[in-house]
């Protein structure tokens, strides 16, 4: 259930960006704050932004599909964790930094970090073999689970 | 048999568990596609209706041929900035910027300067009444090929055969006398704002420009700002409807912003030509504060009306071309900086344009008349936007351009009713600076940058607007192309500023007679005398 909910979140974010050709992560990266600000500003540069935008959409879709369909879920969860950690450090919930574009109040812990932790749980306890396409990819598991 | 049935149930349940994700995926992708497509359709429909063309201004001509030889008259604060726009920075500035860029990677001022295109000019002469500054310019700008000659007096510089054109950045009370002398001497002129210090000079300078035919440009560099060019297109396409009110503001809250500049440690009667500085102002004993902080006195400067309002007036005039207001009423006072200055530090100037129209979407009879309100304080820096407020939409004007539809608009009524347009969300936003990280640090620099006065963008690259304004002026000299802020625009700016100053000082409405092209005389007052006199001595 948790896996499908997180996958849903990722897939819809990816789909909205995919179907909106004008979308770019540039402004999100340029408004970055905190210790990794200059790194994120470099990613927003003209030479990098095309690749970054493509990678972001591709990763969101891959994570979403992997989690909802229940296929390669540990790889999906790992990519999702990396993405969320990047989002976290682009706009870290550190005291004194402006939390632009967020609702609620945060001190060190924000929703990105919590979602990353939830993905770590999925990484540790994969469920795709029981509930997902992995059932078909690994028939031996299917047999075992049916015994 | 029973076992087979059980097996069948297990495999169906098992298949269900494996494939449940597929319809979910399909549903999410479908929802995303529908949402994105609706947003896109709505956006396209708005943009099609507006049809705004964010094209850059026409490119000026080439800078090829022999170098144009320039004389710099006035090398205080603005003079060195203008020289940098021409490609010449002092050694001190270069060293300071290098050190700053090493400390802060986002400080791109040095990089931007070094990337500037070569305007093919030589600085051959400099004149400043403070020896230290003139020497700094000569030391920094002299090359093996070209030695910068220092002139004690501007007249001697103007008589030099080594100068083709001059850049004037002196105190306001010297603007017109030097510009007129330069034009008479056959030199092209780039003159800082405000164009003149009093009314009579405004006509005399107009006459000199028309008579001599030399190229003349007033330093309102924001005319090169791309968002303003786009704003003109917005107005021409009647996107705002009838504009009845414009608000423009100055908000500063620093010593530098209140003209409380540093007094140089080497300032003395030996290093400053005091007699020459005084010029047509009343003689007072040597006073370094008057010399370095001249903007604080009417005798040399022009107060908020001539010093800062002119920026806002010309920013709007270059978009609307509304010309000189029919009447002006000002008020204000010295409420924060009670430091001996006699120009106000809070000032409101209301300019009336009863016959002006930007077009209308309503029935005839509702399309004429506009007020421009300029509101300024040097005691607070809360940022207030410049807004052109029309019946159909409001446009925020600066380096960014944002347009909001009005909830009760006639033109957008249908689109608001069917929720294609949300009056709380901009229907158009133009932000060429979105590609840039802002490396500007000082409050005053930020104030100017936000107004679109410091830099603009060409092909996504940040460019100093003064550099482009200089380019335009030099191209006019070389190729005969037009300038965007010539004598007509300068005349309008100067007269409007003087009307603002006069109204403040006299505490009454000042009228403009468009037929006679003059400020309506007021019995018992010589208006030029009023402009130059301390307000307290008038009432």
């Amino acid at each position: 259930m948790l896996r499908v909910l997180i996958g849903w979140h990722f897939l819809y974010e990816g789909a909205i960006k995919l179907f909106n050709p004008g979308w770019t992560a540039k402004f999100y990266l340029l408004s970055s704050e905190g210790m990794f600000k200059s790194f994120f500003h470099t990613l927003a540069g003209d030479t990098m932004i095309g690749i970054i935008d493509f990678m972001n959409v591709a990763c969101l879709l891959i994570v979403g599909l992997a989690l909802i369909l229940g296929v390669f879920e540990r790889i999906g969860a790992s990519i999702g964790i990396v993405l969320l950690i990047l989002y976290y450090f682009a706009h870290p919930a550190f005291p004194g930094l402006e939390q632009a574009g967020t609702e609620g109040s945060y001190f060190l812990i924000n929703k990105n970090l919590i979602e990353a932790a939830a993905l770590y749980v999925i990484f540790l306890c994969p469920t795709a073999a029981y509930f997902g396409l992995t059932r078909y990819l690994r028939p031996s598991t299917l047999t075992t689970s049916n015994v | 048999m029973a076992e087979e049935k059980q097996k069948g149930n297990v495999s169906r349940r098992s298949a269900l568990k494996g494939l449940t994700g597929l319809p979910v995926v399909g549903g999410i992708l479908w929802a995303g596609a529908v949402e994105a497509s609706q947003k896109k359709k709505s956006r396209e429909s708005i943009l099609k209706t507006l049809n705004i063309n964010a094209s850059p201004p026409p490119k000026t001509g080439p800078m090829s041929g022999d170098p144009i030889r320039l004389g710099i008259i006035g090398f205080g604060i603005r003079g060195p900035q203008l020289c940098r726009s021409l490609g010449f920075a002092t050694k001190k500035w270069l060293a300071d910027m290098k050190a700053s860029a090493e400390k802060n990677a986002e400080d791109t001022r040095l990089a931007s300067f070094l990337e500037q295109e070569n305007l093919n000019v030589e600085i051959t002469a400099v004149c400043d009444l403070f020896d230290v500054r003139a020497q700094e310019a000569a030391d920094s700008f002299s090359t093996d090929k070209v030695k910068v000659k220092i002139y004690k007096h501007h007249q001697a510089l103007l008589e030099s055969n080594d100068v083709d054109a001059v850049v004037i950045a002196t105190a306001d009370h010297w603007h017109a006398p030097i510009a007129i002398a330069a034009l008479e001497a056959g030199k092209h002129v780039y003159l800082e704002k405000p164009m003149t210090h009093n009314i009579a000079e405004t006509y005399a300078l107009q006459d000199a420009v028309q008579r001599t035919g030399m190229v003349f440009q007033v330093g309102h560099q924001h005319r090169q700002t791309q968002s303003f060019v786009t704003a003109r297109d917005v107005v021409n396409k009647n996107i705002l409807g009838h504009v009845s009110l414009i608000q423009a503001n100055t908000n500063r809250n620093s010593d530098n912003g209140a003209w409380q500049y540093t007094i140089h440690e080497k300032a003395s009667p030996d290093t400053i030509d005091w007699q020459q500085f005084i010029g047509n102002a009343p003689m007072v004993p040597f006073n370094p504060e008057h010399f370095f902080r001249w903007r604080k006195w009417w005798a040399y400067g022009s107060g908020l009306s001539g010093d800062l309002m002119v920026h806002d007036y010309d920013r709007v005039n270059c978009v609307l071309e509304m010309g000189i207001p029919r009447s002006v009423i000002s008020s204000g006072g010295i409420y924060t900086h009670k430091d001996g200055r006699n120009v106000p530090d809070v000032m409101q100037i209301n300019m009336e344009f009863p016959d002006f129209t930007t077009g209308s979407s309503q029935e005839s009879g509702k399309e004429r008349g506009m007020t421009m309100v300029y509101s300024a304080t040097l005691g607070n820096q809360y940022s207030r936007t410049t807004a052109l407020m029309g019946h159909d939409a409001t446009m925020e004007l600066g380096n960014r351009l944002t347009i909001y539809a009005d909830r009760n608009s006639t033109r957008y009524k249908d689109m608001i009713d069917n929720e294609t347009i949300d009056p709380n969300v901009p229907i158009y936003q133009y932000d060429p600076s979105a590609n840039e990280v802002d490396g500007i640090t000082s409050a005053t620099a930020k104030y100017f940058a936000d107004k679109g006065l410091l830099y603009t963008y060409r092909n996504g690259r940040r460019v100093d607007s003064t550099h482009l304004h200089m380019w335009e002026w030099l191209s006019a000299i070389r190729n005969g192309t037009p300038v965007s802020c010539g004598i007509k625009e300068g005349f309008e700016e100067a007269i409007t500023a003087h009307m603002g100053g006069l109204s403040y000082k006299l505490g009454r409405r000042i009228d403009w007679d468009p037929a006679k092209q003059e400020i309506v005389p007021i019995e018992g007052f010589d208006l030029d005398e009023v402009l130059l006199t301390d307000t307290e001595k008038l009432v």
Side-chain angles (χ1 to χ4, degrees):
Chain A
M1 181 71 178
L2 177 67
R3 200 191 75 203
V4 174
L5 292 180
I6 296 177
W8 187 302
H9 183 207
F10 271 78
L11 188 64
Y12 191 69
E13 280 287 1
I16 284 287
K17 290 173 174 58
L18 177 71
F19 295 125
N20 177 6
W23 174 85
T24 172
K26 184 174 219 127
F27 311 123
Y28 178 81
L29 294 170
L30 282 178
S31 61
S32 165
E33 291 203 44
M35 64 189 101
F36 299 109
K37 189 171 149 181
S38 55
F39 166 69
F40 290 108
H41 283 176
T42 311
L43 296 186
D46 284 344
T47 45
M48 291 295 289
I49 192 67
I51 303 165
I52 295 299
D53 283 347
F54 173 78
M55 291 288 287
N56 190 38
V57 175
C59 288
L60 285 169
L61 293 174
I62 287 169
V63 175
L65 290 171
L67 296 184
I68 296 176
L69 294 177
V71 59
F72 306 122
E73 63 172 331
R74 294 190 79 169
I75 297 171
S78 309
I79 296 172
I81 290 170
V82 173
L83 270 186
L84 288 164
I85 299 275
L86 283 171
Y87 297 158
Y88 178 82
F89 282 110
H91 292 269
F94 295 165
L97 295 184
E98 199 180 326
Q99 300 292 303
T102 56
E103 78 285 12
S105 310
Y106 304 102
F107 171 67
L108 299 180
I109 307 301
N110 66 12
K111 290 178 187 173
N112 285 331
L113 214 54
I114 295 166
E115 196 167 11
L119 277 179
Y120 187 55
V121 171
I122 290 167
F123 179 83
L124 292 178
C125 314
T127 54
Y130 176 69
F131 184 78
L133 283 181
T134 303
R135 288 176 84 91
Y136 297 102
L137 296 174
R138 281 194 279 169
S140 60
T141 319
L142 177 70
T143 316
T144 315
S145 70
N146 279 344
V147 170
Chain B
M1 186 73 185
E3 198 178 297
E4 271 176 24
K5 196 178 172 187
Q6 199 184 357
K7 265 190 181 173
N9 284 343
V10 168
S11 59
R12 268 201 301 280
R13 199 181 315 136
S14 168
L16 215 60
K17 280 181 180 175
L19 298 171
T20 308
L22 283 174
V24 175
V25 166
I28 292 172
L29 291 177
W30 176 78
V34 169
E35 170 78 11
S37 136
Q38 270 175 355
K39 273 189 186 163
K40 197 173 161 220
K41 255 166 81 182
S42 153
R43 189 89 212 127
E44 278 172 355
S45 146
I46 295 170
L47 288 176
K48 200 176 162 197
T49 307
L50 301 181
N51 186 28
I52 297 168
N53 179 15
S55 59
K59 203 164 163 55
T60 47
M63 290 289 109
S64 52
D66 290 337
I68 291 177
R69 299 165 307 164
L70 299 176
I72 307 298
I73 303 175
F75 197 70
I77 294 174
R78 188 60 182 151
Q81 293 169 349
L82 294 174
C83 287
R84 288 200 291 276
S85 301
L86 289 161
F88 296 83
T90 62
K91 289 174 182 167
K92 183 178 181 312
W93 187 87
L94 288 169
D96 288 350
M97 288 306 113
K98 194 171 172 231
S100 177
E102 278 165 8
K103 266 194 224 157
N104 175 11
E106 281 172 22
D107 187 342
T108 55
R109 286 174 290 181
L110 180 61
S112 300
F113 170 74
L114 295 173
E115 280 171 11
Q116 247 178 208
E117 290 197 48
N118 186 348
L119 295 181
N120 191 18
V121 292
E122 289 173 352
I123 292 180
T124 53
V126 64
C127 173
D128 193 281
L129 301 176
F130 181 30
D131 295 344
V132 174
R133 288 172 174 168
Q135 195 61 52
E136 188 187 14
D139 290 347
S140 294
F141 304 157
S142 290
T143 61
D144 292 342
K145 198 175 145 222
V146 184
K147 294 281 172 232
V148 179
K149 193 170 173 194
I150 296 174
Y151 290 87
K152 285 275 187 194
H153 196 287
H154 66 265
Q155 198 56 46
L157 184 149
L158 296 175
E159 284 162 11
S160 163
N161 289 326
D162 297 331
V163 173
D164 303 315
V166 291
V167 173
I168 302 169
T170 61
D172 295 353
H173 70 308
W174 270 112
H175 281 184
I178 296 176
I180 293 168
L183 294 163
E184 303 281 6
K187 313 293 183 195
H188 305 290
V189 170
Y190 184 100
L191 177 61
E192 258 309 314
K193 56 87 224 171
M195 191 179 82
T196 60
H197 195 228
N198 64 43
I199 304 158
E201 285 177 353
T202 315
Y203 290 93
L205 183 51
Q206 184 187 44
D207 176 61
V209 173
Q210 288 167 349
R211 195 160 28 81
T212 61
M214 304 309 292
V215 176
F216 176 79
Q217 171 102 301
V218 181
H220 282 300
Q221 67 277 356
H222 56 258
R223 284 180 174 260
Q224 309 298 330
T225 303
Q226 189 158 343
S227 52
F228 291 15
V229 181
T230 307
R232 267 201 290 272
D233 194 52
V234 168
V235 171
N236 289 341
K237 287 179 176 151
N238 196 20
I239 283 164
L240 307 180
H242 168 218
V243 173
S244 56
L245 182 65
I246 293 173
Q247 64 162 33
N249 314 284
T250 291
N251 279 78
R252 295 173 164 194
N253 197 11
S254 65
D255 283 350
N256 187 58
W259 311 312
Q260 196 67 358
Y261 303 135
T262 309
I263 294 174
H264 199 283
E265 57 193 13
K266 289 185 181 159
S268 81
D270 295 332
T271 54
I272 290 172
D273 186 343
W274 182 249
Q275 183 79 29
Q276 184 64 20
F277 170 73
I278 288 294
N280 56 19
M283 177 51 84
V284 291
F286 176 76
N287 184 334
E289 194 179 12
H290 281 222
F291 185 79
F292 288 96
R293 299 170 177 172
W294 53 263
R295 290 174 203 267
K296 290 165 47 176
W297 288 276
W298 289 109
Y300 329 109
S302 314
L304 282 163
S305 43
D307 207 300
L308 295 176
M309 185 275 279
V310 291
H311 281 305
D312 291 274
Y313 166 79
D314 195 68
R315 286 163 74 222
V316 175
N317 198 28
C318 84
V319 173
L320 297 185
E321 295 182 39
M322 72 281 185
I324 298 169
R326 184 65 71 81
S327 65
V328 173
I329 293 182
S330 311
S331 67
I334 304 169
Y335 299 142
T336 301
H337 302 279
K338 298 176 196 286
D339 52 6
R341 70 180 63 201
N342 65 13
V343 298
D345 58 12
V346 172
M347 195 172 191
Q348 326 302 319
I349 304 175
N350 296 309
M351 293 158 264
E352 303 300 333
F353 302 85
D355 297 323
F356 183 71
T357 180
T358 50
S360 177
S361 57
Q362 297 171 281
E363 68 270 29
S364 174
K366 287 186 170 180
E367 71 281 11
R368 277 188 196 281
M370 175 181 89
T371 299
M372 175 169 170
V373 178
Y374 171 76
S375 167
T377 173
L378 301 182
N380 167 290
Q381 74 178 55
Y382 177 75
S383 176
R384 293 179 290 170
T385 184
T386 299
L388 279 66
M389 303 160 84
H391 168 72
D392 293 315
T394 297
M395 175 164 65
E396 291 179 356
L397 181 66
N399 236 336
R400 288 178 296 276
L401 204 66
T402 311
I403 303 171
Y404 292 88
D406 193 277
R407 194 171 291 281
N408 286 317
S409 153
T410 303
R411 179 172 176 171
Y412 308 115
K413 186 177 184 307
D414 292 345
M415 293 178 97
I416 291 170
D417 287 349
N418 69 24
E419 296 182 354
T420 308
I421 286 179
D422 176 351
N424 297 314
V425 177
I427 51 172
Y428 183 81
Q429 196 156 37
Y430 174 69
D431 186 1
S433 67
N435 290 339
E436 286 284 331
V437 180
D438 192 358
I440 300 280
T441 45
S442 96
T444 310
K446 183 94 177 79
Y447 161 82
F448 280 127
D450 287 347
K451 279 176 177 278
L453 296 171
L454 279 190
Y455 50 78
T456 182
Y457 297 83
R458 289 288 186 275
N459 304 322
R461 204 163 66 85
R462 185 150 114 175
V463 190
D464 171 20
S465 4
T466 308
H467 170 74
L468 296 173
H469 207 45
M470 285 290 189
W471 187 326
E472 189 184 79
W473 174 59
L474 293 166
S475 176
I477 296 170
R478 287 183 184 283
N479 312 310
T481 49
V483 291
S484 58
C485 199
I487 189 64
K488 175 186 175 290
E489 294 78 12
F491 184 88
E492 291 170 350
E493 170 252 68
I495 292 290
T496 306
H498 299 327
M499 288 171 77
L502 285 169
S503 177
Y504 169 77
K505 290 186 159 199
L506 294 173
R508 58 174 290 173
R509 197 179 80 186
I510 304 296
D511 294 315
W512 171 251
D513 184 335
K516 290 186 182 166
Q517 285 286 293
E518 65 171 27
I519 295 175
V520 176
I522 298 170
E523 210 178 310
F525 290 102
D526 175 329
L527 296 184
D528 272 341
E529 250 180 59
V530 170
L531 264 181
L532 305 178
T533 313
D534 186 348
T535 314
E536 284 178 11
K537 290 174 188 155
L538 283 168
V539 280

